[in-house]
Amino acid sequence: MRLPSTRHSYCVLQYEAFQSAVEATFWQTLSTNKINVYKLDDATVPVQGYYTSGDTFISAASISLPARLCVNATSFSKLKRLPTPQTINTNTIEDFKAVDKTSLLKTTALEIWQDILSGAAEQEPSLLGRFLLLTFADLKKYRFYYWFAFPAILPSEPILLRSPAKSVVDAYGQATVDALRVEYDRFRGTSSSPGFFLLKVSGEKVQMADLSAFHQFFGSADASSITVGFVDPSGLAENPGWPLRNLLALVATRWRLSRVKSLRRQRDISASLVLDVSLASYPDEPKCVGWEKGIQGKLSPRVADLAPLMDPTRFVRRTVLLDCCQSPDLMPVDVQAGRDGSGSHLKLMRWRILPELKLERVSQTKCLLLGAGTLGCYVGRVLLAWGVRHITFVDNGKVSFSNPVRQPLFKFKDCLTTATGVDMSIPMPGHNIHSSDATKKDIKKLEDLVQSHDAVFLLTDSRESRWLPTLLGAAMGKIVINAALGFDTFVVMRHGMRVPNTDAQSLPAVQDLGCYFCNDVVAPTDSLSERTLDQQCTVTRPGLAAIASALAVELLSSVLNHPQGPWAPAANQPNETGSSVLGAMPHQIRGYLGQFNNLLVVGQAYDKCPACSRRVLDEYAKSGHSFVVKGLESPKYLEELSGLAELQQQGNDLDVDWEGDEDADF
């Protein structure tokens, strides 16, 4: 529709563009979502933003706050502030640069235009406020590249301001302003889109309504008396905020008005302004503008660098960069730091390689490490790499000056102090018991530790020190991982479970796997007395402990990712029935570093085992500490109880007749 010839005498209405205001919490939430939810998916994601009415500080010179559109951590929730804005998070900086920004802006602007033509924007005025956010999150450097667009529909000719803006007091009077404040408070409480409204003023009587009620609200009123209002983010007297642009497009196109008054609602309603504007027509496919200018005032993206703001301890928890953990303050012996579990590099495994990997099950596992020596230190480091955050060490030794070279959790200053964590001696069969009461206290302490953890690692120096933890793990149904070293050989194994699986009815039956003692024909006894220096120390090839420790932790991860958990059958090949998402599920790994070879072995549970057989577990359940003390005092008692003594006697009584050719050559 053509406007009167007097149009040239009016001044062109100019607007204050939005400035984006991105809180650091927005980027933190985007990082978390990128790792856990979006992964490689670069589809558009709905986000919510918000803006507030403009404000001006009155001092020697009036200073207005910029019109800001804000996003923060809540922008990803389902709160309804602005409608269906979308974020496009690209996977690479090259993708970010290659996006066709012109086409993207035009597509969104045409969506707004179609909402105006169809009447959808009348029913839901917040559709006029769509915005775009194009991002690339560099999660290794914590740099975030982003570019906002606030699409605005352009008319065929500029929209003109018929007269200078008037204050609401000058336009309606102070009494009407008070009524206006009351009416807006009422309208805001009842409307689903209080950012846009219709206004009717008759004397001191003020009425407001939603845009959808236009025809009923105004009826056949003269166009010069029609007023539309909006919450104006601009504090500039002569320049209304960006939301007015698409609102005027709706007024001119949907209601066919050539003139309208607009109330710019400010934070202080008495500071609000009234505009009288002449509208213009819009083409069938209007042009649009909207990409935000960069900090240099040119059309360009912006960069948010959050690396200096990152908390170092949280940075360690998130990325599990173990080089950052060398400080004793960041790597205590009893590590129970952080709740967020697995690091981002672990979560990347689920993007493409192992989508079904159960990282949370691993990171939430409470691990008890019996032994804080070379094996314990390396196991602790690999558990950290898997995101485990609850690790308790048990040891009673002191750190000698030869230890820090091969025990990476310790520094040389630790050589002068007792290792922290849980300082206790594990009661062992065949060793002297100086006080029955003290021994029972140690037994109770170890019972409490095993009961309060999900997985137990046996990493001590002697065979007999593993007997009681094996017994307790079997009785309490805990995952037990065992690692033992020779000079250039090692064994890493998982103990079979001795408690029933509550899900066994839905799973195939499996053969019970053995424990560390199931191949023994004698009970464990004192192996530490009368040792020479080379026997007192753990003499192994330097790389052996790291290899065995890594395999022990990886075996735990495989167990936790198996549908049957610790009841999983042995599967020595990745594609064999019973394997886990991480591959094979071995029972025992026997390594021979001299041959650079590993052998996978399956050992069945032994009904005469001195540590996990049914007779031993039943006696422990019946007699408790008294049974344990008796077994510690006399390994022969364990042999008699388990049936090993009877087996030995049968072997001694066995009479073998050798038959052969008397004339044979030997």
Side-chain angles (χ1 to χ4, degrees):
M1 148 172 67
R2 300 297 298 175
L3 294 175
S5 59
T6 55
R7 177 180 170 87
H8 68 276
S9 62
Y10 305 145
C11 63
V12 175
L13 183 63
Q14 296 182 326
Y15 310 86
E16 182 184 12
F18 269 128
Q19 295 184 29
S20 60
V22 188
E23 297 182 20
T25 57
F26 177 86
W27 299 123
Q28 291 168 351
T29 305
L30 176 64
S31 300
T32 301
N33 290 351
K34 176 65 176 174
I35 292 293
N36 298 325
V37 182
Y38 311 146
K39 302 176 184 177
L40 293 174
D41 187 358
D42 57 2
T44 58
V45 176
V47 293
Q48 301 290 331
Y50 69 93
Y51 62 86
T52 60
S53 51
D55 205 353
T56 302
F57 290 112
I58 306 298
S59 57
S62 295
I63 302 176
S64 63
L65 297 178
R68 299 188 304 170
L69 187 135
C70 307
V71 291
N72 55 26
T74 64
S75 296
F76 296 92
S77 65
K78 295 182 179 180
L79 296 176
K80 185 177 180 182
R81 289 176 179 168
L82 290 181
T84 60
Q86 51 191 5
T87 295
I88 301 175
N89 187 49
T90 58
N91 287 310
T92 66
I93 188 63
E94 291 76 18
D95 290 343
F96 178 85
K97 295 177 179 179
V99 170
D100 188 341
K101 281 80 173 179
T102 301
S103 176
L104 187 61
L105 178 66
K106 183 177 180 181
T107 299
T108 305
L110 288 177
E111 290 176 358
I112 297 174
W113 180 242
Q114 290 302 318
D115 289 335
I116 292 174
L117 296 178
S118 67
E122 278 185 66
Q123 302 300 320
E124 182 54 75
S126 55
L127 290 171
L128 300 171
R130 281 194 179 93
F131 66 87
L132 285 168
L133 175 55
L134 181 64
T135 67
F136 166 64
D138 185 344
L139 299 184
K140 297 190 71 174
K141 299 179 180 178
Y142 290 94
R143 290 170 62 87
F144 300 88
Y145 300 80
Y146 66 100
W147 202 346
F148 276 88
F150 310 103
I153 306 296
L154 295 180
S156 301
E157 298 177 277
I159 292 176
L160 303 179
L161 188 63
R162 298 174 65 91
S163 60
K166 294 182 179 180
S167 72
V168 69
V169 176
D170 292 340
Y172 300 121
Q174 184 60 50
T176 303
V177 171
D178 295 336
L180 182 63
R181 182 180 292 108
V182 173
E183 174 63 8
Y184 185 76
D185 288 341
R186 180 204 65 80
F187 174 75
R188 182 172 55 185
T190 60
S191 174
S192 61
S193 298
F196 301 92
F197 53 89
L198 305 174
L199 176 65
K200 186 189 296 183
V201 178
S202 178
E204 296 182 5
K205 182 180 180 181
V206 177
Q207 293 177 281
M208 289 185 181
D210 288 315
L211 300 189
S212 58
F214 175 79
H215 295 289
Q216 297 87 345
F217 189 70
F218 286 117
S220 58
D222 184 78
S224 61
S225 65
I226 294 177
T227 303
V228 295
F230 71 106
V231 174
D232 189 0
S234 172
L236 300 177
E238 299 299 328
N239 306 109
W242 208 251
L244 182 60
R245 303 193 72 148
N246 291 338
L247 175 60
L248 294 181
L250 182 148
V251 171
T253 305
R254 186 69 183 171
W255 300 333
R256 303 293 182 181
L257 297 180
S258 60
R259 176 183 178 182
V260 74
K261 290 181 180 178
S262 178
L263 175 67
R264 300 172 52 191
R265 186 196 177 281
Q266 300 288 288
R267 184 182 301 272
D268 179 2
I269 202 164
S270 61
S272 299
L273 300 172
V274 178
L275 305 178
D276 188 0
V277 298
S278 289
L279 303 177
S281 61
Y282 287 77
D284 292 338
E285 289 192 10
K287 296 181 180 180
C288 60
V289 293
W291 283 110
E292 183 182 21
K293 293 182 178 180
I295 57 176
Q296 301 296 330
K298 299 179 180 179
L299 288 176
S300 62
R302 303 187 179 198
V303 181
D305 187 355
L306 264 63
L309 303 179
M310 296 302 296
D311 176 8
T313 56
R314 189 173 66 188
F315 184 78
V316 170
R317 292 199 298 269
R318 175 175 291 181
T319 60
V320 196
L321 294 177
L322 296 181
D323 290 340
C324 298
C325 296
Q326 295 300 318
S327 168
D329 295 330
L330 295 181
M331 181 61 72
V333 175
D334 186 6
V335 183
Q336 298 188 31
R339 296 181 180 179
D340 51 351
S342 306
S344 58
H345 77 288
L346 295 174
K347 294 176 182 177
L348 294 179
M349 297 180 187
R350 295 199 294 202
W351 285 23
R352 207 190 304 264
I353 302 173
L354 291 172
E356 63 273 35
L357 187 63
K358 299 179 178 65
L359 289 176
E360 293 77 11
R361 184 177 296 177
V362 178
S363 65
Q364 294 170 8
T365 299
K366 298 178 181 179
C367 294
L368 176 62
L369 275 58
L370 301 181
T374 304
L375 277 172
C377 288
Y378 280 114
V379 167
R381 292 297 293 266
V382 183
L383 286 172
L384 285 173
W386 267 104
V388 176
R389 285 296 172 268
H390 190 128
I391 307 171
T392 302
F393 291 88
V394 175
D395 208 307
N396 73 332
K398 290 183 178 291
V399 184
S400 68
F401 282 96
S402 65
N403 291 148
V405 174
R406 51 197 171 85
Q407 297 177 0
L409 295 187
F410 303 128
K411 289 179 173 291
F412 281 100
K413 68 177 183 179
D414 297 323
C415 301
L416 306 178
T417 63
T418 301
T420 56
V422 179
D423 186 359
M424 66 168 291
S425 297
I426 298 175
M428 296 179 283
H431 289 248
N432 292 331
I433 296 179
H434 300 290
S435 169
S436 178
D437 291 339
T439 299
K440 288 183 178 180
K441 287 182 180 179
D442 285 339
I443 295 171
K444 180 62 168 63
K445 192 173 185 179
L446 187 59
E447 284 177 333
D448 292 341
L449 285 168
V450 173
Q451 186 63 57
S452 63
H453 290 75
D454 305 307
V456 181
F457 284 83
L458 305 186
L459 311 168
T460 51
D461 288 337
S462 67
R463 187 176 187 83
E464 61 268 29
S465 62
R466 302 167 189 240
W467 173 78
L468 183 54
T470 297
L471 169 66
L472 298 178
M476 297 178 185
K478 302 296 182 178
I479 301 172
V480 179
I481 304 293
N482 186 91
L485 304 179
F487 167 67
D488 61 357
T489 61
F490 65 84
V491 59
V492 172
M493 65 181 297
R494 57 187 174 103
H495 289 188
M497 300 297 286
R498 300 297 177 261
V499 298
N501 184 1
T502 56
D503 296 328
Q505 294 180 351
S506 60
L507 297 170
V510 296
Q511 181 69 36
D512 288 339
L513 300 177
C515 77
Y516 187 55
F517 297 95
C518 277
N519 290 329
D520 289 2
V521 294
V522 295
T525 188
D526 184 4
S527 64
L528 300 179
S529 299
E530 300 181 1
R531 282 186 169 187
T532 61
L533 179 61
D534 64 318
Q535 294 171 328
Q536 296 174 26
C537 301
T538 304
V539 180
T540 66
R541 290 179 59 167
L544 196 69
I547 296 171
S549 300
L551 289 173
V553 177
E554 294 298 329
L555 184 57
L556 173 66
S557 299
S558 295
V559 168
L560 294 173
N561 276 276
H562 195 280
Q564 294 175 255
W567 290 272
N572 291 341
Q573 297 298 327
N575 55 356
E576 185 178 334
T577 301
S579 60
S580 79
V581 297
L582 288 169
M585 280 292 301
H587 174 220
Q588 301 181 32
I589 308 166
R590 295 185 176 270
Y592 304 90
L593 192 55
Q595 304 171 24
F596 289 92
N597 184 41
N598 291 340
L599 182 64
L600 303 185
V601 178
V602 179
Q604 306 304 331
Y606 186 33
D607 62 357
K608 295 180 176 57
C609 175
C612 73
S613 64
R614 179 47 51 195
R615 280 181 281 187
V616 171
L617 294 178
D618 289 345
E619 188 63 26
Y620 170 70
K622 175 182 176 182
S623 304
H625 293 179
S626 297
F627 156 71
V628 175
V629 172
K630 192 174 180 180
L632 295 173
E633 291 176 332
S634 175
K636 291 295 184 182
Y637 166 70
L638 293 177
E639 293 178 354
E640 293 172 359
L641 175 65
S642 63
L644 286 178
E646 181 183 358
L647 180 68
Q648 294 167 7
Q649 186 61 43
Q650 291 174 353
N652 294 334
D653 294 342
L654 186 62
D655 186 10
V656 180
D657 292 330
W658 294 96
E659 296 181 359
D661 186 353
E662 294 181 356
D663 298 329
D665 294 331
F666 290 95

